[in-house]
């Protein structure tokens, strides 16, 4: 995404060994492979193909180029393993529902063998917002208490965790006549720091209304339809790894965290229904990896039911007044 960081160079020395001592016969290294970092994909490389000798600036600083003796080109493409699990996940929350729809059970993989202490089949439990700030292994009590308050069933055994190193929360904050806002929060639960991270969100109906992002740099991509690309601002684009709490013996671990508000205008998206799902992304990418999304949106049923009851009450009020 950053052209200035799209190239790298390294040097290796190759020696001939008997019986291949002919200096005029050159054979490049084969079996190239590029292995991604913590969240980046794997690449499958083809065989070297001889090309015209490449040129490099003269190492002495003279205004001339030095040609290589021979050059080869190796093309590497991202491999797409349909069976591979995600490496990041997304949770949804909103101002019109108190519960958070968390990442899916085993979104980033679980043991192939049935777990004794948790279920790989049960859907993840709804959570209170504060549960997003603690590791999964410390959420059990909070999830059970929340389920009791909301009169939700609790399976036995409980659902397994998502097992994702990076999680992203998308929160719809406001919805008014001319526009609406959301908040995106990145959590790093892994041991690896992410410098120069980037996030891309695909929004099927809302992207044309993108207005501004406040704590991140962001823009709507012209080359990719309905996609908003975002990065941390210069000097702040560093998502640190998980760290111990202030009291490691008692406090749970603390994730690395980055957060920003994003605003939209409705003028370019007439008819958009933010609370019915249009305010949530259909795809989210972190450092090029597609994240796992919840299967449902936060419910606005209570709000709709309240509006319906209120409307019926207002309709019946004149009738009641006439009979008095």
């Amino acid at each position: 995404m950053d052209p200035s960081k799209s190239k790298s160079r390294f040097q290796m020395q190759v020696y001939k060994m008997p019986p291949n001592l002919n200096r005029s016969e050159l054979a490049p290294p084969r079996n190239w492979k590029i292995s991604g970092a913590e969240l980046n994909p794997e690449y499958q490389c083809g065989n070297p193909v001889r090309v015209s000798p490449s040129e490099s600036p003269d190492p002495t600083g003279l205004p001339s180029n030095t040609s290589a003796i021979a050059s080869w080109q190796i093309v590497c493409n991202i491999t797409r393993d349909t069976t591979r699990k995600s490496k990041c996940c997304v949770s949804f929350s909103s101002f019109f529902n108190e519960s958070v729809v968390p990442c899916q059970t085993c979104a980033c993989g679980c043991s192939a063998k049935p777990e004794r202490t948790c279920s790989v089949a049960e859907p993840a439990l709804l959570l209170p917002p504060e549960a997003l700030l603690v590791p999964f292994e410390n959420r059990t009590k909070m999830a059970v208490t929340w389920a009791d308050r909301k009169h939700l069933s609790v399976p036995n055994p409980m659902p397994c965790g998502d097992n994702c190193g990076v999680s992203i929360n998308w929160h719809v904050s406001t919805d008014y006549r001319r526009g609406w806002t959301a908040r995106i929060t990145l959590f790093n639960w892994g041991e690896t720091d992410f410098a120069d991270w980037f996030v891309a969100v695909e929004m099927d109906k809302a992207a044309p209304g993108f207005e501004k992002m406040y704590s991140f740099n962001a823009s709507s991509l012209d080359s990719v339809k309905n996609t908003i690309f975002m990065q941390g601002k210069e000097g702040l684009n560093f998502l640190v790894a998980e760290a111990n709490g202030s009291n490691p013996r008692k406090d749970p671990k603390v994730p690395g965290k980055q957060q920003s508000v994003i605003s939209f205008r409705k003028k370019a998206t007439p008819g958009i229904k933010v609370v019915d799902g249009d305010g949530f992304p259909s795809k989210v990418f972190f450092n090029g990896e597609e994240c796992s999304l919840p299967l449902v949106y936060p419910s606005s049923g209570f709000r709709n039911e309240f509006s319906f009851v209120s409307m019926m009450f207002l309709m019946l009020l004149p009738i009641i007044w006439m009979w008095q």
Side-chain angles (χ1 to χ4, degrees):
M1 295 298 176
D2 185 348
S4 67
K5 299 178 181 178
S6 64
K7 298 179 181 179
S8 64
R9 174 178 293 194
F10 64 92
Q11 180 174 313
M12 59 188 299
Q13 292 182 330
V14 182
Y15 297 89
K16 284 185 172 291
M17 297 180 66
N20 301 316
L21 297 177
N22 188 342
R23 295 182 61 184
S24 62
E25 292 184 4
L26 300 174
R30 295 181 178 272
N31 298 327
W32 288 81
K33 181 181 179 182
I34 301 177
S35 297
E38 183 74 14
L39 280 175
N40 299 107
E42 303 291 322
Y43 292 80
Q44 184 176 3
C45 302
N47 294 321
V49 177
R50 188 75 175 261
V51 296
S52 300
S54 58
E55 294 185 347
S56 302
D58 192 287
T60 62
L62 294 174
S64 62
N65 293 330
T66 302
S67 296
I69 297 175
S71 295
W72 289 263
Q73 177 176 285
I74 301 101
V75 177
C76 303
N77 294 310
I78 295 176
T79 58
R80 298 293 185 186
D81 185 359
T82 56
T83 62
R84 185 176 62 88
K85 293 289 186 178
S86 300
K87 295 184 179 179
C88 52
C89 65
V90 178
S91 61
F92 288 156
S93 57
S94 63
F95 70 91
F96 51 82
N97 195 308
E98 293 181 320
S99 298
V100 174
V101 182
C103 298
Q104 296 183 42
T105 304
C106 299
C108 297
C110 275
S111 173
K113 298 180 180 179
E115 299 281 352
R116 294 183 178 180
T117 58
C118 65
S119 170
V120 299
E122 290 289 343
L125 295 178
L126 298 180
L127 297 173
E130 59 271 19
L132 294 177
L133 298 172
V134 299
F136 180 84
E137 55 269 21
N138 298 95
R139 295 180 184 178
T140 303
K141 184 177 180 181
M142 302 173 74
V144 172
T145 302
W146 190 252
D148 182 62
R149 286 180 56 187
K150 300 299 176 181
H151 308 289
L152 304 173
S153 61
V154 178
N156 186 16
M158 295 273 284
C160 297
D162 53 71
N163 294 316
C164 297
V166 171
S167 61
I168 298 173
N169 174 251
W170 183 273
H171 178 84
V172 175
S173 304
T174 62
D175 181 23
Y176 48 97
R177 185 169 62 89
R178 294 185 178 180
W180 60 283
T181 61
R183 183 181 68 241
I184 182 172
T185 309
L186 283 62
F187 300 95
N188 184 3
W189 300 102
E191 299 177 353
T192 303
D193 298 329
F194 293 102
D196 301 322
W197 57 266
F198 64 88
V199 170
V201 295
E202 183 179 303
M203 307 196 71
D204 294 336
K205 296 183 180 180
F210 168 71
E211 180 187 31
K212 183 179 179 181
M213 205 152 198
Y214 295 86
S215 300
F216 300 162
N217 291 322
S219 60
S220 182
L221 300 182
D222 295 330
S223 58
V224 185
K225 187 178 180 181
N226 297 332
T227 299
I228 301 169
F229 179 80
M230 59 191 76
Q231 288 180 299
K233 292 187 176 180
E234 185 176 357
L236 301 174
N237 193 23
F238 199 83
L239 185 60
V240 299
E242 183 183 60
N244 289 326
S246 56
N247 188 342
R249 294 184 178 182
K250 296 181 180 180
D251 299 335
K253 290 189 174 183
V254 179
K257 185 166 69 77
Q258 293 260 341
Q259 186 179 84
S260 179
V261 172
I262 180 171
S263 60
F264 296 85
R265 291 289 183 185
K266 290 184 177 180
K267 184 177 181 180
T269 56
I272 189 171
K273 298 180 179 179
V274 176
V275 301
D276 291 335
D278 293 346
F280 296 93
S282 56
K283 288 185 179 180
V284 176
F285 297 85
F286 177 83
N287 280 10
E289 284 285 339
E290 185 173 354
C291 303
S292 173
L293 267 63
L295 299 177
V296 297
Y297 300 124
S299 172
S300 59
F302 177 80
R303 191 174 108 157
N304 292 338
E305 180 182 357
F306 176 79
S307 299
F308 176 76
V309 172
S310 301
M311 181 179 66
M312 292 298 295
F313 175 77
L314 292 174
M315 292 175 63
L316 291 173
L317 189 60
I319 299 175
I320 296 173
W321 178 79
M322 290 175 62
W323 283 95
Q324 287 183 344

